[in-house]
Every structure is written in structure tokens, then in C-alpha cells.
């Protein structure tokens, strides 16, 4: 049986016998709306430009004066901005970076910002709480959740080890 390849180019066919069951880009992937991929690209680009430049300035200004935890935070945020470069070009492949971005902000809002807010105190200004809430809401809309479910939960897991090849010469 022969079928058209993922590239969609006429005359380009791949034998189904050559398909790997662990191939992440199979034909049964849910379709992702183009506006969602472009929205993700814009968010990734904003992370690179805004977060990257801000964190780079922090790192160049005075990392020697920071506590270990502050240095860790700035280093991790700068690394997140570097990883976001890949998301500008391949937003679906770099979805775990975006999911991590949402997850840490949700944790921060719930654990760090919410208790003082409920107590009527000032929220720590490490991260802008309002911008984080808006960003999370936008990402909830932009992330293609059907694709995430299909890609990370419905695909067969990678094998823990390869089957030993059978030596037919013996």
C-alpha cells in the first residue's frame, strides 16, 4: 500500500511499510488552525524579544550581587527566552516550552501571589500578576489542546530498549 507523504508534494510517496510506529508526525495528527500557529509564533517572538532582552540586561548588570535564588530565577528565565527562539520557527514542536511557561505562572499565581491578594496585602512585584493572568488566558485559547493530547498522551511511548537483531547466519 502506498500513500502520499506529509510533504503533500505530488508524486512524492512513502511506502507504509517504511513508516515507523514511533514517528511523531503521522497522518492522523489533528489539524491545527493556522491562526493558532501564528498566535503561538507571536507569543514566542515576544518571549524572545521582551523576556530575553530584559533577562540579558539583568545578567549583564550585576549577577555577582544576587542571592542564589535570584540568580537561578534570572538564569532560568533567560534560558526560557533562548528556547523560545525555536518556537518562532516550529511552534508545535516547541509546545512543551509554552506549556511550561503557563504551568510556572499558574503555580506562581496560586502559591505566591494569591495568598497576599486574599489577605489584602501587596502582591510581590517579581512578576506582573495582571499580565500573567492575561497571558495565561491568551495561551489557553492559542494552545491546540487536541493536538497536545494527541501528541503527548495518545502516541505510543518510545521503547525502553531496542529489540536485539536476530542473527540469521548462525
Amino acid at each position: 500500500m502506498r500513500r502520499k507523504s506529509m510533504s503533500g508534494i505530488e508524486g512524492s510517496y512513502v511506502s507504509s511499510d517504511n513508516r515507523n510506529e514511533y514517528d511523531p508526525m503521522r497522518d492522523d495528527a489533528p489539524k491545527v488552525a493556522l491562526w493558532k500557529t501564528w498566535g503561538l509564533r507571536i507569543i514566542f517572538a515576544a518571549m524572545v524579544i521582551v523576556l530575553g532582552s530584559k533577562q540579558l540586561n539583568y545578567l549583564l548588570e550585576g549577577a555577582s550581587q544576587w542571592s542564589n535564588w535570584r540568580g537561578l530565577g534570572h538564569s532560568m528565565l533567560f534560558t526560557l527566552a533562548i528556547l523560545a527562539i525555536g518556537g518562532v520557527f516550529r511552534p508545535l514542536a516547541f509546545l512543551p516550552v509554552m506549556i511550561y511557561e503557563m504551568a510556572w505562572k499558574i503555580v506562581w499565581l496560586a502559591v505566591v501571589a494569591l495568598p497576599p491578594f486574599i489577605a489584602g496585602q501587596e502582591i510581590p512585584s517579581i512578576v506582573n500578576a495582571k499580565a500573567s493572568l492575561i497571558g495565561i488566558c491568551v495561551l489557553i485559547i492559542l494552545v491546540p489542546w487536541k493536538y497536545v493530547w494527541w501528541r503527548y498522551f495518545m502516541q505510543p511511548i518510545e521503547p525502553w530498549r531496542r529489540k536485539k537483531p536476530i542473527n540469521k547466519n548462525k
Side-chain angles (χ1 to χ4, degrees):
M1 180 177 145
R2 297 173 77 74
R3 59 182 165 178
K4 202 174 206 180
S5 74
M6 290 288 293
S7 65
I9 299 172
E10 289 282 328
S12 176
Y13 291 91
V14 176
S15 169
S16 64
D17 298 337
N18 293 336
R19 300 292 294 213
N20 182 350
E21 69 175 301
Y22 301 105
D23 182 6
M25 301 312 284
R26 294 183 6 205
D27 291 333
D28 59 341
K31 302 293 183 222
V32 177
L34 189 59
W35 68 270
K36 285 191 175 205
T37 57
W38 274 101
L40 288 169
R41 279 188 173 106
I42 291 167
I43 300 294
F44 276 120
M47 286 174 65
V48 171
I49 295 166
V50 176
L51 182 65
S53 64
K54 189 175 184 180
Q55 295 306 318
L56 181 61
N57 283 336
Y58 285 146
L59 292 173
L60 295 176
E61 281 178 359
S64 62
Q65 303 167 2
W66 295 338
S67 68
N68 290 340
W69 286 109
R70 185 170 180 200
L72 173 72
H74 287 302
S75 299
M76 289 181 73
L77 288 173
F78 183 66
T79 304
L80 192 64
I82 291 171
L83 290 173
I85 294 170
V88 172
F89 300 101
R90 299 193 61 196
L92 296 180
F94 281 79
L95 273 173
V97 173
M98 198 57 71
I99 292 169
Y100 175 76
E101 172 74 7
M102 283 192 316
W104 84 259
K105 282 189 175 180
I106 289 170
V107 169
W108 183 85
L109 285 167
V111 175
V112 178
L114 188 60
F117 178 76
I118 291 173
Q121 301 169 348
E122 186 176 333
I123 298 172
S125 63
I126 297 168
V127 176
N128 185 325
K130 290 178 185 175
S132 294
L133 280 171
I134 292 168
I136 289 168
C137 291
V138 168
L139 286 175
I140 286 172
I141 294 168
L142 287 178
V143 170
W145 294 108
K146 286 182 182 179
Y147 178 85
V148 169
W149 180 256
W150 172 84
R151 175 66 181 96
Y152 298 107
F153 299 101
M154 297 303 294
Q155 298 300 305
I157 62 170
E158 291 81 12
W160 289 93
R161 58 185 169 154
R162 300 285 178 207
K163 293 178 181 176
K164 292 182 183 178
I166 300 171
N167 191 351
K168 296 180 180 180
N169 294 335
K170 290 186 178 180

